[in-house]
Amino acid sequence: MNYEKSKEVVELLINRKLKITSAESCTGGLFAANITSISGSSECFEGSFVTYSNEIKHKMINVREETLEKYGAVSEECVLEMAENSRKIMKSDISIAISGIAGPSGGTDEKPVGLVWICLSADGYIKAYKNIFKGDRDKVREESVYFALCLVENFIKKC
């Protein structure tokens, strides 16, 4: 767990009276777990979608079937829709979306193990980031969450 970074982010969210949600695939709710490990997080955390399969990404958070077919779940296009749609569904101020290949299998030359797309959506703002994290499955997932926490922290500090 990224306890210190999670604590900083939760405090920032609460101080700014902002609500956050997440849509996660390869991290399986780890971002949400990091946020909710902090006492008082109910003041800023709306909820989370763990959308591991493409079917659930489509059914729960309205990722278009065309997006999934054309670009795949591990793509900029997919996380942009995951973040924006989950934010609107939850009516939150900020949403994080994470989709990637944590490994140890599942990678290809085009999409290697460790490839993780992370997106932050807020009203009037959306940006996705491509990362290739090194390490085993747990390390890739932890690094993804840490990166997402830093995205939120940096975004709020710039507001």
Side-chain angles (χ1 to χ4, degrees), residues 95-114:
S95 180
I96 285 289
I98 303 170
S99 189
I101 304 165
S105 60
T108 65
D109 288 343
E110 192 176 286
K111 294 183 179 183
V113 169

Side-chain angles (χ1 to χ4, degrees), residues 54-67:
N54 287 358
E55 181 181 357
I56 296 303
K57 283 177 182 66
H58 173 67
K59 281 184 177 177
M60 284 183 69
I61 55 173
N62 308 317
V63 174
R64 295 177 311 131
E65 288 177 331
E66 304 82 54
T67 300

Side-chain angles (χ1 to χ4, degrees), residues 55-121:
E55 181 181 357
I56 296 303
K57 283 177 182 66
H58 173 67
K59 281 184 177 177
M60 284 183 69
I61 55 173
N62 308 317
V63 174
R64 295 177 311 131
E65 288 177 331
E66 304 82 54
T67 300
L68 295 164
E69 288 168 14
K70 187 172 181 180
Y71 303 104
V74 182
S75 66
E76 178 178 19
E77 292 81 2
C78 182
V79 294
L80 288 167
E81 288 186 36
M82 288 172 68
E84 186 72 1
N85 294 350
S86 62
R87 183 178 63 81
K88 287 178 177 175
I89 290 166
M90 291 281 194
K91 296 179 175 60
S92 59
D93 300 298
I94 298 170
S95 180
I96 285 289
I98 303 170
S99 189
I101 304 165
S105 60
T108 65
D109 288 343
E110 192 176 286
K111 294 183 179 183
V113 169
L115 171 64
V116 182
W117 280 94
I118 302 170
C119 181
L120 186 145
S121 169

